[in-house]
Amino acid sequence: MYSILEKKRGMQGKILFSVFVGLMALLVLIPSSFASGDSLSYDIGKTSTHIYCNGTVTVSFSPKGGSDSKGVHVAAYKPGNPSGIAGDGGSFFVGNKSGSVTFKLYGYHYFKVTGDSGVTGTYTVTW
């Protein structure tokens, strides 16, 4: 009688472990499968949320108040690392012209577009 109960408990433990491993595998796959093709908008000067990147990410910006000497700085950051990552085409753009920067990133990152004094507007992160 005792050995039958032990076998049932052993099987239950194996089943629970298998379910746990399966759920963990799903959690790893969810960000890459659901995050593709989404976008979020922010005010210039505000930091984006952490975004799971799986390849190309575009940051589009529409500044107001820029000039020949004033503009916006565009950068991506990896959580825990304060050093910004410049995208294709540079990281500083002068004037009031709308533009975009493309990044090739994998894993979680966040983005920030900062304006020089008096420069406002919005930016959109598309991944």
Side-chain angles (χ1 to χ4, degrees), residues 11-27:
M11 286 299 289
Q12 288 174 344
K14 289 178 184 176
I15 291 170
L16 287 173
F17 180 75
S18 296
V19 169
F20 175 77
V21 170
L23 288 174
M24 293 307 291
L26 280 174
L27 288 175

Side-chain angles (χ1 to χ4, degrees), residues 87-93 100-102:
D88 296 342
S91 62
F92 181 70
F93 302 87
S100 64
V101 178
T102 302

Side-chain angles (χ1 to χ4, degrees), residues 14 29 48 65 75 92 97 103 112 115-116:
K14 289 178 184 176
L29 295 174
S48 77
F92 181 70
K97 291 184 180 178
F103 297 89
K112 189 166 187 181
D116 289 332

Side-chain angles (χ1 to χ4, degrees), residues 99-124:
S100 64
V101 178
T102 302
F103 297 89
K104 192 80 161 178
L105 302 170
Y106 296 90
Y108 283 97
H109 289 79
Y110 61 95
F111 302 85
K112 189 166 187 181
V113 176
T114 54
D116 289 332
S117 178
V119 177
T120 61
T122 59
Y123 71 98
T124 301

Side-chain angles (χ1 to χ4, degrees), residues 26-39 52 54 127:
L26 280 174
L27 288 175
V28 169
L29 295 174
I30 285 172
S32 62
S33 61
F34 285 107
S36 176
D38 289 331
S39 65
Y52 185 82
N54 194 17
W127 67 98

Side-chain angles (χ1 to χ4, degrees), residues 46-87:
K46 302 290 182 184
T47 302
S48 77
T49 59
H50 291 180
I51 297 169
Y52 185 82
C53 306
N54 194 17
T56 303
V57 180
T58 303
V59 177
S60 305
F61 51 89
S62 299
K64 297 175 187 156
S67 66
D68 289 341
S69 60
K70 291 183 180 181
V72 294
H73 301 266
V74 181
Y77 299 88
K78 191 147 183 80
N81 185 353
S83 300
I85 302 165

